[in-house]
Amino acid sequence: MKKLLLLSTALFFAIAAFAQEPKGVFYSISFPNAVHHEAEIVMTIPQSPAKEFKVRMSRSSAGRYATHEFGKNIYNVKATDVSGVTIPLKQVEGDVYEIDTDHPETVVISYTLFGNWVDGTYTGIDASHAHLNMPATFMWSPDLVKRSVKIEFNDLDKYGWKVATQLKHEGANIYSAPDLQYMMDSPTELSNFKETSWNVVNADGKTEKINLTVHSVDDQPVIDGFGKMIQKIVLEEKAVFGELPAYDYGEYTFVSDISTTDSGDGMEHRNSTCITLPVEKVQSYETRLLGVFAHEYFHSWNVKRIRPKSLEPFNFEHANMSSELWFAEGFTQYYGEMLLVRSGFRSIDEYTHTLSGLVNSVLNTPAAAKYSAAQMSRYSVFADAGVSIDPNNNSNVFTSYYYYGGATALALDLRLRSEFNLTLDDYMRTVWLNRGKVMKPYTIPDLQSDLAKLTKNPKFAADFFAKYINGIEKNNYTDLLAKAGLILQKEKPGKAWAGSLASSGVRGRSGQALTPEADGLAILYSTVIGTPLYKAGLDAGDVILKADGKSIKDVAAFNDVVNSKNVGDKIVINYKNSSGEHETTVTLEEDPRLEIITYEKAGKTLTKDQEDFRKNWLSSKVQ
Ligand SMILES: [Zn+2]
């Protein structure tokens, strides 16, 4: 519980007091117009650089890998001296402003911020809360990134809000960060959230306090119960690494917001995570929500401390590109899901669906056939909630590093277990001790060298990285899964298939859906290389009028035609596009999608070895 003593001091006095402090940057944020999603922000720079200098909004956000334009949401930007007298301020780029050489020692910048999007990147303000991601909220000066930061959150009593954040509480409504990087990594939720906390005794005997704050319509007992579930996951993750990280100020906070108007997201930070999920409340959705919490908490080791060099430090003017997200995100994806089984929240049959998704993404997508996991990681600068209005060809050139990397983690885990009598937990612990705990940012060769040391087999490590990380070869999932008594097989053997008309797209571009046109079925996304539809020359922009002589108005009607046929049958398609009406022939193939099922489900008996293998892999590791 945090008890807040609210400052009623006028802003002027706060600024005046802060101006005495050397070499800091002071922000004050208030919400006089929260119902219209606005905040008023004042940034005070004492002892400002004795030259012309710039202040700006960010173009990227901690943990989000694509570039964003936060500058579009600020206006009424003004510079004054401490007494409020306007000084010249020149807008030199859309989101960059310049203060000329002739300025007072203390410069005060003020602006209005609009924010109406609740996720792990943007800012959402209304009368119920101010959900603040810092790069989307605060201007900063490239000349002052090393300075300490203080933020005053105002209007808390007016709205009945409390403060959930990893920022250091300085007393009253003032919070601080040692520098700009830390401040930008510290999202803050101001709301009347509910909270539950517990202590975990760490391997060194010190206590780490874990807080769960939830802004939702749930009652306190629901949050307490949900906290108990997350507690189990925290311990299961601790068992993987052997210890919790030593959190700054001894605390880690799950800052979560649950509302149907949220955008579904989870964003990791050094001592916190920002989780926003679009459901009506926590109650009765608990087990559905847990996966995001498990994933984001795993990041407090893997990516926030086991840190790729490519992301260190964050560039807030242009998103960092990283070749390591197959590990930072993909291995985290694997553990986030697998640990739900170890902690008892998923059955083995539920887990086989997750595994099927991983294996299909690596064995059954055109991009994974052509591009390496490292290369797909670099595409994140366009794919991670990337926003643009023209279509992309992602269904053919991008396989998510979450699933590609997750499938690679699965293969490595099963190979370490079956070939070395080691586990992926051993590997994660090695990387933690060599890189994360000592905060030495890594490169891909560092990860390979850690695998070589763990296995005492440099040849295996070199081979694994050359083939499956930097290359496009695939592990033998059929044989590896069989060790745990799991069968990899065609999901619909012998079923005719033309390819999928609705591509899943990527996060942030989900607004589009297949809409029937008046006289046919419009293809809205690129068709996928290798599918019968693609081979027949059909693509986005075509409108299917008839299939096999039948009028087609929607996807269901098209699927009915395909389902009535056999593998090898030909379907004549009549379609139109900007060059007129056309006819083509689709030759149906066998549906290539794979599924994983247990031996038990297939009516086969597990051997003792398979039973032991599965148990060692998926049973709880909490002592
Ligand atoms: Zn992640």
Side-chain angles (χ1 to χ4, degrees):
M1 278 296 172
K2 270 189 202 107
K3 180 107 174 66
L4 288 170
L5 300 163
L6 300 176
L7 274 191
S8 56
T9 342
L11 180 61
F12 174 77
F13 294 108
I15 291 170
F18 188 73
Q20 311 300 319
E21 284 190 38
K23 299 286 179 194
V25 177
F26 182 81
Y27 297 93
S28 170
I29 181 166
S30 342
F31 305 92
N33 198 20
V35 291
H36 294 298
H37 318 294
E38 285 183 338
E40 295 300 327
I41 295 168
V42 180
M43 173 193 188
T44 303
I45 307 165
Q47 297 176 39
S48 56
K51 55 167 191 167
E52 94 184 2
F53 71 100
K54 294 182 174 71
V55 290
R56 64 166 304 144
M57 283 299 278
S58 296
R59 296 186 66 237
S60 65
S61 188
R64 181 111 283 149
Y65 306 113
T67 299
H68 294 260
E69 301 294 351
F70 301 119
K72 70 186 182 301
N73 283 348
I74 67 163
Y75 34 91
N76 306 328
V77 185
K78 218 171 84 173
T80 67
D81 66 11
V82 274
S83 61
V85 175
T86 304
I87 58 174
L89 183 72
K90 195 170 144 199
Q91 186 172 10
V92 292
E93 284 178 49
D95 50 6
V96 183
Y97 296 78
E98 194 174 87
I99 296 111
D100 70 21
T101 316
D102 182 28
H103 60 73
E105 198 187 346
T106 299
V107 171
V108 180
I109 309 286
S110 62
Y111 57 97
T112 305
L113 170 78
F114 175 83
N116 192 19
W117 189 255
V118 176
D119 74 352
T121 300
Y122 290 97
T123 277
I125 299 163
D126 59 38
S128 83
H129 70 167
H131 176 85
L132 309 175
N133 279 291
M134 301 327 207
T137 304
F138 292 110
M139 294 185 93
W140 53 283
S141 170
D143 286 315
L144 306 173
V145 297
K146 294 284 171 221
R147 282 198 183 188
S148 67
V149 173
K150 278 190 182 154
I151 307 176
E152 178 188 53
F153 297 109
N154 297 294
D155 295 330
L156 301 182
D157 50 348
K158 176 172 161 188
Y159 295 106
W161 291 346
K162 298 175 286 182
V163 182
T165 183
Q166 69 174 25
L167 292 168
K168 186 177 181 218
H169 191 195
E170 295 287 345
N173 55 343
I174 310 272
Y175 288 76
S176 73
D179 56 27
L180 183 86
Q181 286 276 325
Y182 201 102
M183 184 272 259
M184 289 299 199
D185 191 45
S186 305
T188 300
E189 162 90 11
L190 311 176
S191 66
N192 184 19
F193 53 79
K194 298 202 169 55
E195 183 169 15
T196 179
S197 301
W198 62 93
N199 290 330
V200 179
V201 179
N202 211 353
D204 61 4
K206 291 198 185 117
T207 297
E208 301 293 340
K209 186 180 176 206
I210 313 288
N211 309 304
L212 167 66
T213 68
V214 186
H215 177 217
S216 72
V217 297
D218 295 285
D219 296 325
Q220 185 65 41
V222 173
I223 303 307
D224 291 342
F226 192 49
K228 290 265 178 339
M229 298 168 89
I230 292 172
Q231 212 167 330
K232 267 184 114 168
I233 289 168
V234 165
L235 293 178
E236 209 61 69
E237 300 203 356
K238 176 175 176 251
V240 172
F241 291 98
E243 60 184 331
L244 295 189
Y247 296 117
D248 304 333
Y249 320 116
E251 286 188 51
Y252 179 94
T253 304
F254 291 93
V255 179
S256 56
D257 193 285
I258 310 291
S259 162
T260 48
T261 57
D262 288 356
S263 171
D265 202 3
M267 187 55 71
E268 67 281 358
H269 300 282
R270 191 170 154 81
N271 307 291
S272 68
T273 171
C274 171
I275 292 175
T276 61
L277 294 166
V279 295
E280 51 181 315
K281 55 186 174 176
V282 172
Q283 189 171 24
S284 81
Y285 290 93
E286 286 93 342
T287 48
R288 254 179 64 186
L289 304 184
L290 279 176
V292 181
F293 285 78
H295 177 107
E296 299 307 328
Y297 190 63
F298 199 82
H299 275 315
S300 80
W301 291 269
N302 190 23
V303 90
K304 296 312 295 188
R305 287 172 178 79
I306 301 172
R307 194 132 182 80
K309 230 178 205 160
S310 52
L311 295 180
E312 186 70 39
F314 279 124
N315 178 352
F316 291 106
E317 299 181 28
H318 185 86
N320 303 55
M321 187 184 78
S322 172
S323 299
E324 294 82 16
L325 298 183
W326 57 270
F327 183 75
E329 290 296 353
F331 277 45
T332 300
Q333 182 71 21
Y334 171 68
Y335 270 103
E337 299 284 357
M338 187 265 279
L339 292 170
L340 295 182
V341 187
R342 283 197 187 160
S343 42
F345 298 114
R346 293 281 187 279
S347 69
I348 178 76
D349 283 324
E350 286 167 324
Y351 188 49
T352 55
H353 291 291
T354 305
L355 293 176
S356 304
L358 293 182
V359 173
N360 271 308
S361 81
V362 73
L363 297 184
N364 250 336
T365 59
K370 285 180 295 193
Y371 309 122
S372 70
Q375 183 166 349
M376 288 296 90
S377 299
R378 295 194 288 273
Y379 197 79
S380 66
V381 295
F382 303 117
D384 188 28
V387 180
S388 52
I389 57 169
D390 62 324
N392 56 50
N393 196 16
N394 280 358
S395 44
N396 288 312
V397 300
F398 180 56
T399 293
S400 167
Y401 41 87
Y402 285 83
Y403 304 110
Y404 203 153
T408 309
L410 168 68
L412 183 57
D413 200 357
L414 300 179
R415 290 191 63 180
L416 287 171
R417 288 169 187 279
S418 52
E419 294 169 36
F420 295 95
N421 201 23
L422 290 164
T423 71
L424 196 65
D425 296 5
D426 296 318
Y427 181 58
M428 295 311 293
R429 221 170 295 132
T430 303
V431 179
W432 163 246
L433 293 175
N434 290 350
R435 319 279 161 202
K437 197 174 180 181
V438 291
M439 289 297 293
K440 274 215 312 246
Y442 70 84
T443 58
I444 292 180
D446 291 333
L447 293 180
Q448 182 182 320
S449 130
D450 286 355
L451 186 62
K453 274 178 212 145
L454 174 72
T455 56
K456 300 188 180 69
N457 189 336
K459 197 179 162 297
F460 168 79
D463 184 69
F464 193 90
F465 274 75
K467 283 183 176 158
Y468 312 115
I469 307 302
N470 299 315
I472 56 167
E473 289 186 50
K474 307 302 173 209
N475 281 281
N476 187 334
Y477 286 92
T478 304
D479 288 358
L480 288 172
L481 288 161
K483 312 240 181 245
L486 299 174
I487 298 166
L488 179 64
Q489 61 186 21
K490 288 256 169 73
E491 188 183 344
K492 293 170 180 167
K495 268 297 257 146
W497 170 83
S500 174
L501 276 172
S503 159
S504 60
V506 292
R507 213 154 39 140
R509 282 190 58 79
S510 55
Q512 286 184 336
L514 273 179
T515 48
E517 299 238 324
D519 53 353
L521 169 64
I523 303 178
L524 294 186
Y525 293 100
S526 296
T527 51
V528 177
I529 292 172
T531 61
L533 286 167
Y534 186 95
K535 290 176 189 164
L538 292 158
D539 212 310
D542 296 336
V543 178
I544 297 175
L545 304 170
K546 282 185 179 173
D548 199 30
K550 297 183 184 68
S551 290
I552 298 296
K553 302 275 186 204
D554 53 31
V555 178
F558 182 80
N559 288 343
D560 284 347
V561 171
V562 174
N563 291 338
S564 70
K565 302 285 178 185
N566 295 312
V567 174
D569 285 356
K570 295 183 191 313
I571 299 177
V572 172
I573 306 262
N574 299 90
Y575 67 103
K576 62 171 189 179
N577 57 25
S578 53
S579 63
E581 293 208 7
H582 310 275
E583 188 178 293
T584 185
T585 302
V586 170
T587 305
L588 299 176
E589 297 175 16
E590 186 184 35
D591 192 330
R593 280 170 291 190
L594 301 166
E595 68 169 2
I596 294 167
I597 61 165
T598 59
Y599 265 46
E600 300 91 306
K601 214 171 175 184
K604 293 173 81 169
T605 314
L606 276 186
T607 65
K608 178 81 175 74
D609 281 352
Q610 287 171 324
E611 204 181 316
D612 290 345
F613 190 100
R614 195 192 287 176
K615 211 169 130 200
N616 288 334
W617 175 28
L618 296 176
S619 66
S620 173
K621 305 291 171 245
V622 178
Q623 305 290 323

